[in-house]
Amino acid sequence: MSETLGRKLVDEVGRFRKALVKRIRRVNQLTEGEVMSAASGLGKIVDLATQLSAHTKDTLAGVTGEEDQGDVSLADSIAKQSNTTEEFINGLNSRIGEQREVAARAHHQSREILRAAKSVERLSQQSNIIALNAMVEAARMGKYGTSFSVISNEMQRLSGEIKKTNTLVSGLAENLSILLPAIAQMIEQTSDDAEDFSGVIKESITDVRKRTSELQRGVETLLTSNEDSVNKILRESQDALSYLQFQDTVAQGLLRMDAMARKLQVRVGTMGGELMEDTEVQNSLAKEEHAELGGEKEISPEDAGDVMLF
Amino acid sequence: MKKVLVVDDSPSVRQQVGLALKQAGFEILEAVDGVDGVAKIDGDPNIGVVICDVNMPRMNGLELVETVHRKPQHASLPIVMLTTEGQPQLIQRAKKAGAKGWIVKPFKANLLVAAVKKLMPA
């Protein structure tokens, strides 16, 4: 091969290599840009999904509560309130029962008082008769009966006082015997009302407990599905990341073409004999764009993703 | 939080490794080649694991492992090679230089994260 032809070939191959490298760079820039923009979009989707999941968890934490954090859940709080209301209603019913008993006892005692008052009235009448008899006897005894007459007067006055007091007591007892049944009736009415109220409240509590439990189950299901969705998005984004790595393989392949073009350039130069000694030719041999330690061996798809820890 | 240094001349690979590890809660530092990688390792004592490409300009990944592990303060720093190469002689050289693992690209994000978690000092 003549020197002129050799130089021509070297120049031609050099131009070819220059054009090739330019194209390789352009293709790499384009694909790399697109791949990075896709990966960035993936990253944003994962961030948004993670943020949304965290926000949902925070919002619903009040319903479920996190025992390890010492939180009180809405469901626990409702259950506690329901128990307190139930205890209060049971206490109210118990108090009403006690009041009913007290009213019944008072009614019975007022009747006893009335009976006692009537018996006292009879005694007062008897003592009055005795006083009148004593007065008759005192008159018959003349001056010897003076002291009897004093006693008889005292007995009459006492009888009068007893009658007066007894009238008051029996009036009071009669009033009580009228009033107490009315009070007892009011207590009965209150007891009936309380029983109705208690029934309604207990029914509501059961309903609230049921609905709270349903709400809690619903929230738990929602949280689980939320977690599942985020994990799915994460898994899919990881898979997508693996697919996006084709760009690196393509880039390496393209750069390998540069290495081959460089070898061709050297070989053409060598064919020209002493041409390779020429400084101008040496200078036209740019370095490889990407020197590789492993040569041109392709990685088989089965080996891709392998992790070896030493 | 422990940091992971990703050394690769490809911006898209650095981004992809970074995304996978960030999602797992790691803080990421990046270096564009071996020389940059060594400088970053020297400058940040909080780097817990290094993920490093093999074929890179200026200083390749195996030279980085050898350079870093020659320094006593970095002798036990775990370095995992992430590369399209799979030749046994290269893997042996990396192992001899003190690399802790070899991952063949394209990597699977979950396996990469698991490897980093295993190697990250407590």
Side-chain angles (χ1 to χ4, degrees):
Chain A
M1 187 190 293
S2 73
E3 197 176 317
T4 321
L5 183 60
R7 185 174 292 279
K8 252 184 173 175
L9 263 172
V10 168
D11 289 348
E12 202 57 44
V13 174
R15 271 195 295 279
F16 164 74
R17 198 180 152 213
K18 223 172 178 178
L20 182 69
V21 166
K22 199 175 161 190
R23 292 277 160 81
I24 286 172
R25 280 185 188 155
R26 182 75 188 129
V27 170
N28 270 348
Q29 270 172 2
L30 283 173
T31 54
E32 187 128 53
E34 291 303 317
V35 162
M36 287 183 76
S37 144
S40 168
L42 266 180
K44 279 179 192 158
I45 290 170
V46 171
D47 284 351
L48 276 173
T50 313
Q51 277 169 25
L52 180 67
S53 165
H55 181 69
T56 311
K57 267 189 195 166
D58 283 352
T59 310
L60 297 177
V63 178
T64 55
E66 289 185 20
E67 283 174 24
D68 56 333
Q69 310 242 329
D71 290 348
V72 178
S73 71
L74 176 65
D76 286 346
S77 182
I78 288 174
K80 205 176 165 189
Q81 285 298 324
S82 302
N83 288 340
T84 310
T85 311
E86 200 166 6
E87 277 170 22
F88 171 75
I89 287 168
N90 289 340
L92 181 69
N93 283 338
S94 166
R95 293 291 94 73
I96 287 172
E98 285 168 15
Q99 289 307 311
R100 192 191 285 137
E101 278 176 29
V102 167
R105 273 204 305 274
H107 189 221
H108 177 72
Q109 277 167 357
S110 76
R111 284 176 182 282
E112 287 296 311
I113 291 168
L114 209 57
R115 261 201 296 275
K118 278 184 181 155
S119 143
V120 169
E121 196 182 336
R122 276 197 302 276
L123 284 174
S124 160
Q125 282 166 356
Q126 279 172 11
S127 71
N128 200 26
I129 292 165
I130 291 167
L132 283 172
N133 287 339
M135 201 176 278
V136 171
E137 280 302 310
R140 230 183 355 199
M141 285 169 77
K143 65 175 181 180
Y144 300 106
T146 313
S147 54
F148 266 114
S149 166
V150 172
I151 291 166
S152 164
N153 284 338
E154 281 302 311
M155 280 186 75
Q156 253 185 327
R157 210 162 54 81
L158 182 64
S159 172
E161 283 300 315
I162 289 171
K163 198 178 175 185
K164 223 159 67 181
T165 310
N166 208 32
T167 308
L168 275 174
V169 169
S170 51
L172 200 63
E174 258 172 40
N175 281 343
L176 274 175
S177 70
I178 294 165
L179 203 61
L180 283 170
I183 291 173
Q185 204 182 345
M186 274 168 63
I187 290 171
E188 280 304 320
Q189 185 60 50
T190 311
S191 167
D192 288 349
D193 290 348
E195 215 162 280
D196 288 348
F197 172 66
S198 158
V200 170
I201 291 284
K202 278 182 180 170
E203 209 174 293
S204 303
I205 287 172
T206 311
D207 198 35
V208 166
R209 279 178 182 156
K210 195 179 151 205
R211 282 171 195 276
T212 308
S213 161
E214 282 168 5
L215 172 69
Q216 196 165 9
R217 273 200 301 277
V219 167
E220 277 162 8
T221 310
L222 177 65
L223 285 176
T224 309
S225 121
N226 179 52
E227 193 94 17
D228 287 349
S229 300
V230 171
N231 286 338
K232 199 174 167 205
I233 290 171
L234 275 174
R235 275 197 307 276
E236 282 176 2
S237 80
Q238 288 180 344
D239 287 349
L241 272 183
S242 302
Y243 299 135
L244 286 177
Q245 290 170 54
F246 77 91
Q247 197 275 336
D248 189 52
T249 315
V250 170
Q252 304 251 355
L254 288 171
L255 292 167
R256 211 166 278 143
M257 282 165 66
D258 170 49
M260 287 162 74
R262 189 176 190 276
K263 272 183 198 157
L264 177 69
Q265 209 178 356
V266 173
R267 189 165 293 172
V268 168
T270 314
M271 279 165 74
E274 66 279 8
L275 204 60
M276 276 308 289
E277 305 300 319
D278 192 328
T279 322
E280 215 175 300
V281 174
Q282 283 290 328
N283 287 343
S284 75
L285 282 176
K287 268 186 170 181
E288 278 178 46
E289 278 286 298
H290 191 85
E292 290 187 0
L293 294 176
E296 293 174 15
K297 185 177 171 285
E298 298 285 342
I299 292 287
S300 69
E302 306 87 72
D303 293 337
D306 270 2
V307 175
M308 281 175 269
L309 290 184
F310 310 139
Chain B
M1 190 199 295
K2 282 280 184 181
K3 295 176 188 174
V4 179
L5 175 67
V6 183
V7 190
D8 201 304
D9 55 333
S10 160
S12 62
V13 172
R14 291 201 301 273
Q15 182 201 33
Q16 288 155 9
V17 174
L19 275 174
L21 293 175
K22 266 184 213 163
Q23 283 168 12
F26 293 107
E27 191 179 333
I28 306 299
L29 280 180
E30 292 184 12
V32 297
D33 56 35
V35 175
D36 189 21
V38 173
K40 293 265 164 65
I41 291 167
D42 283 340
D44 194 333
N46 289 321
I47 293 171
V49 172
V50 178
I51 303 292
C52 187
D53 187 17
V54 170
N55 296 321
M56 289 183 292
R58 297 210 292 170
M59 180 191 284
N60 67 50
L62 296 179
E63 288 166 342
L64 177 140
V65 179
E66 286 157 356
T67 309
V68 167
H69 282 166
R70 267 199 299 270
K71 300 178 181 183
Q73 72 270 31
H74 302 313
S76 59
L77 179 66
I79 303 177
V80 177
M81 311 315 293
L82 176 65
T83 176
T84 50
E85 306 294 347
Q87 289 81 347
Q89 67 272 24
L90 288 182
I91 298 173
Q92 278 312 310
R93 188 177 153 194
K95 198 173 171 182
K96 203 175 160 195
K100 285 284 182 278
W102 190 279
I103 298 176
V104 181
K105 286 183 197 169
F107 65 87
K108 289 185 175 70
N110 56 333
L111 298 181
L112 174 76
V113 169
V116 171
K117 279 185 179 170
K118 194 170 180 186
L119 294 171
M120 183 64 80

